[in-house]
Structures are given as structure tokens and as C-alpha cells.
Amino acid sequence: MSDIIFNLYKFLECPNLKLRCPSWVKTPSPMFVFTVIMIFYFGITSGVIYDIVLETPSIGSRVDAQGHSRPVAFLPNRINGQYIMEGLAASCMFALGSGGFIMLDQLHSRQIMPRFTRMLLTGVALLSALVAFFVCRIFVKIKIPYETAAATDINKAVIGSNEGINRDNFNIMTASRRQCAAYGCQNYTNKCPAQTRFHRFPENRERCEDWARRIFRSDLLGKKNEARWKNAVVCSHHFPDSMYVCPDQRHEPGVRLMPTAYPTLQLYKETAEPYRC
């Protein structure tokens, strides 16, 4: 078979071209190629294409429990969204870790080097790789705070953790079953529409009692029932868009309520017995 194919193309000959490379074209040095690759690597891992297309802001802001607006450099709870400063910080860590591994490779490829210098550079390389790893791990925890929620207690991993998660909000990312506290509502944390979000009761006692009255849960009122507020949640079906910090993102993970928000929609006794402030 190979002889047949060879005879079919026997009449073809490779062209003998005499091309001369211009004198000003020179082979780039290894360091120049390395620099160009690192610049492109830094730009791609920082999400520069994403920032150009979507025109994301440099940093964002959030409203705390006191109603004050505070700057936020990292967009929590969203793996597919970022701020410019977030991408640059992550890219610096990626480049730092890559540089550490490159340094380790070069140290072992060159035998002629003083022992003290080799040990010093090895320490710097290992330190760079470790710092990049642990800082990137912190970034991932901010972006995906629910990665271990299924294996830990929901109050610690999702609602009450100290990793920057809003205590008034949590998403349906665990197998824990919890029903909306609004009277007559049948939404559960593990069985409801995908865009449903669940909000914890506020930390303020007066606001907690106000929520309990509005959702017609008199059994949650009184000092003896304060402990039940920690586990009570109200789904997003009972909050209008105006109650959210970013109304256009009310279905996004990590969405936040206004400090003065309260449930008003789709309440079971809303028409028969309206709540009066």
C-alpha cells in the first residue's frame, strides 16, 4: 500500500527556495521570551478579557448592619464574577507561585553555585510557592464559601462563619432541610426553585420581632423564643426588589438585603389580616 501511495506522489518535488532572513531579524534571547510569556500569563489569569468585555469596576461596596457602605475588593460567592483589583491580586499570586517553581527548576539544573546561595534561593522559591498556595486558598474560600458545607454544620459553614459571609443570607448549597418561617410557605432549603434565596433573621431583637409579626409567627415572639431566631429563615419570595442592596442581582448567590428590609410579599394571611406597623 505504501508503494502505491509513493508512486502516486513520485512526480512531486520539494521546492528549493532560497530565502534570506532580513539582517534586522534576530533570535530573541531566552529572558525576553520568558518576560513576554509572563506578561501574557499575568494578563490572562487576571481576567483582563473579562474586564474589557464586561467593564467591571475596580472594587465594589457593601452595606453593613449599621447601614454604612464599605469597600469590597473581592466579589464573594461568585466564581464567575470579579472586580479588577481581585483579578490583579490573584494574578500576582499565580505569578509568584510560578516564579517559585521556575526558580527551583533552575537551581537543580545548574550545578556550579555556592552552597549558601543555593540554599538561600531554594528557601525563597519554596516560600514563594507556599505563600501563593495559601493566599490563593483564601481567595477560593471567599469565592466558594460553601465547598465544605455539606460535611459540616450549616450554622458554621454557611450562616455563621467568620469568612466574610453575610449572616443575613445563605444559599441552597447544602443538603440540610430547613423550611421558610413565613406562615403557610412550603419552600425548603433543599427543595425549591433554583433562584430562591433564604435570609436569616436580623441580629437586632426589635427587627426580629417585627419580622415574626409580619410573617404571622406569634410562636417566635417573646424572650423565651430568641434561640429559635438563629435557625429561622425567610425565603426571597417574600421580599420585593426594593428591599435588596442590588435589586437586579436579587437571584445571585450572596445577594444582600437592605439593613431595614422586612418581608411583605406572598404572606399567607396578608389579605385577611394585614399587618399594621
Side-chain angles (χ1 to χ4, degrees):
M1 187 66 181
S2 59
D3 295 336
I4 296 175
I5 296 176
F6 179 77
N7 292 327
L8 288 176
Y9 295 95
K10 189 175 181 180
F11 64 94
L12 297 176
E13 295 181 1
C14 293
N16 187 13
L17 300 178
K18 294 182 179 181
L19 299 177
R20 178 175 295 180
C21 184
S23 58
W24 53 269
V25 176
K26 296 181 180 179
T27 303
S29 63
M31 185 54 65
F32 177 79
V33 175
F34 171 77
T35 303
V36 172
I37 293 176
M38 284 298 293
I39 291 175
F40 275 95
Y41 176 76
F42 184 88
I44 292 173
T45 55
S46 66
V48 63
I49 299 176
Y50 174 87
D51 295 331
I52 292 175
V53 173
L54 299 182
E55 298 181 356
T56 58
S58 298
I59 59 174
S61 61
R62 59 170 294 185
V63 180
D64 58 15
Q66 289 74 33
H68 302 295
S69 179
R70 301 184 182 279
V72 177
F74 290 85
L75 183 60
N77 311 327
R78 286 191 62 186
I79 191 64
N80 59 342
Q82 69 174 47
Y83 298 124
I84 294 177
M85 290 300 298
E86 175 183 342
L88 293 177
S91 240
C92 288
M93 292 299 104
F94 295 154
L96 180 65
S98 302
F101 285 109
I102 293 172
M103 191 180 300
L104 286 174
D105 179 71
Q106 292 297 314
L107 286 173
H108 288 82
S109 63
R110 297 181 181 180
Q111 300 298 329
I112 304 176
M113 184 179 294
R115 182 178 180 181
F116 176 77
T117 304
R118 181 184 294 275
M119 294 178 60
L120 179 63
L121 294 179
T122 301
V124 172
L126 291 175
L127 182 63
S128 300
L130 291 175
V131 168
F133 171 78
F134 285 108
V135 173
C136 289
R137 188 170 182 267
I138 295 174
F139 291 171
V140 171
K141 284 188 174 182
I142 295 175
K143 301 296 289 185
I144 316 177
Y146 312 107
E147 56 183 348
T148 59
T152 57
D153 182 70
I154 187 173
N155 290 323
K156 179 179 179 181
V158 181
I159 304 175
S161 68
N162 296 322
E163 298 174 359
I165 305 175
N166 186 10
R167 289 181 56 85
D168 290 341
N169 308 287
F170 73 95
N171 296 325
I172 316 159
M173 300 295 288
T174 70
S176 300
R177 180 181 176 88
R178 187 171 299 186
Q179 185 178 4
C180 174
Y183 186 84
C185 185
Q186 299 298 318
N187 285 336
Y188 290 85
T189 57
N190 65 336
K191 187 179 180 181
C192 59
Q195 294 183 333
T196 303
R197 299 290 175 253
F198 289 82
H199 307 285
R200 285 198 59 171
F201 272 53
E203 296 181 359
N204 182 272
R205 174 184 172 82
E206 294 181 358
R207 291 190 61 217
C208 284
E209 292 189 345
D210 182 54
W211 277 34
R213 293 190 185 96
R214 290 180 182 275
I215 62 177
F216 303 101
R217 289 293 302 274
S218 58
D219 57 308
L220 295 178
L221 297 174
K223 209 166 188 179
K224 62 180 180 180
N225 294 319
E226 285 186 359
R228 300 177 63 184
W229 296 343
K230 297 180 180 180
N231 297 321
V233 294
V234 180
C235 69
S236 57
H237 292 186
H238 307 293
F239 295 91
D241 293 346
S242 59
M243 297 292 183
Y244 288 89
V245 176
C246 298
D248 57 333
Q249 298 180 358
R250 63 169 298 171
H251 299 302
E252 296 290 333
V255 62
R256 303 180 187 280
L257 291 170
M258 298 288 289
T260 56
Y262 51 84
T264 61
L265 301 178
Q266 301 183 27
L267 299 178
Y268 187 79
K269 296 182 180 180
E270 189 176 32
T271 56
E273 187 182 343
Y275 173 79
R276 300 184 183 277
C277 298

